[in-house]
Amino acid sequence: QKDAFQSVFDPAEKMKRLCNSLRTFSSALAADKKPADLNQIVRAVADTLNAGISKHLRFEFGDLPPAVVDSEEVQRVIQNLLLNAREAIAEDGNIIVRTADLGEKVEVSVQDDGKGMSRNYMEKELFQPFHTTKSGGLGIGLFQSKKIMEAHRGTILVESEEGKGTKVTLRFPAAKAEPQISQISQN
């Protein structure tokens, strides 16, 4: 009985710790925001990935104004999207990363030609913690990514079709120039 109890207690404690870390994770986001070049952030993430994914990547970088972001957190989001895309594609599959200046927003998209997701999964489970389409996955990557984007006052949009692939688009507010204060002297 003691062994049976312990085999239930240990995983329950792990889940409790994971849930607590997710709760505190949300409150400490976007704490170190600074103007940054999203093209450089994407390139830095790509440079850290192994060659197994690099051969599938294609980049289409636009000219971007800076975005005010916590670079480390945005790197985590992009890395998660690239790894998800790699797991979804076939051995000869492709992943395209695009960036674009939309005026008030700066956009990064990751598109793959992989398995895609069902409409039902996208409507009911996509950003829910502990829901995943991957065997062995925890289902917290997109949940965390969404929380990070919300903390940056940005958005994450997902388009997917089973058998055709997925496109995930991140939109960040563009950094605006500080307003110039003109001093009017009165004589």
Side-chain angles (χ1 to χ4, degrees):
Q1 280 181 327
K2 186 177 179 183
D3 287 345
F5 176 76
Q6 199 64 41
S7 68
V8 171
F9 181 77
D10 289 343
E13 283 299 304
K14 277 185 182 176
M15 289 301 293
K16 187 171 136 185
R17 283 193 302 274
L18 180 58
C19 288
N20 284 335
S21 72
L22 285 174
R23 186 173 39 237
T24 58
F25 164 81
S26 294
S27 62
L29 291 174
D32 191 24
K33 293 196 305 189
K34 298 179 182 109
D37 181 341
L38 288 173
N39 287 334
Q40 288 179 348
I41 292 173
V42 169
R43 180 58 74 190
V45 171
D47 289 347
T48 65
L49 299 174
N50 67 30
I53 190 172
S54 297
K55 67 182 180 182
H56 300 279
L57 285 174
R58 199 170 84 226
F59 299 98
E60 296 176 9
F61 290 134
D63 290 329
L64 303 180
V68 179
V69 298
D70 184 317
S71 294
E72 195 172 302
E73 290 177 4
V74 173
Q75 284 179 0
R76 251 197 335 253
V77 172
I78 293 169
Q79 181 178 32
N80 179 52
L81 297 181
L82 291 174
L83 294 175
N84 285 351
R86 174 59 189 111
E87 289 183 25
I89 63 174
E91 194 49 46
D92 61 347
N94 297 298
I95 302 166
I96 301 168
V97 181
R98 291 182 182 93
T99 62
D101 177 1
L102 305 178
E104 296 289 312
K105 304 260 183 214
V106 180
E107 180 177 277
V108 177
S109 67
V110 176
Q111 182 173 358
D112 68 64
D113 57 7
K115 297 181 275 197
M117 294 176 276
S118 73
R119 177 178 297 253
N120 186 54
Y121 180 81
M122 288 186 51
E123 289 174 358
K124 295 186 171 133
E125 302 180 47
L126 184 61
F127 291 110
Q128 299 300 314
F130 313 115
H131 292 251
T132 183
T133 59
K134 299 186 280 190
S135 62
L138 290 176
I140 57 174
L142 276 179
F143 170 76
Q144 287 182 332
S145 295
K146 184 174 188 230
K147 293 295 184 190
I148 289 170
M149 292 306 296
E150 288 170 353
H152 282 82
R153 294 179 307 123
T155 57
I156 181 168
L157 309 165
V158 180
E159 303 165 64
S160 188
E161 190 174 338
E162 276 187 288
K164 295 197 175 180
T166 301
K167 179 180 179 182
V168 181
T169 303
L170 309 173
R171 289 193 182 131
F172 299 89
K176 298 190 180 29
E178 290 298 313
Q180 298 298 317
I181 300 172
S182 59
Q183 192 170 16
I184 301 172
S185 61
Q186 295 179 331
N187 293 353

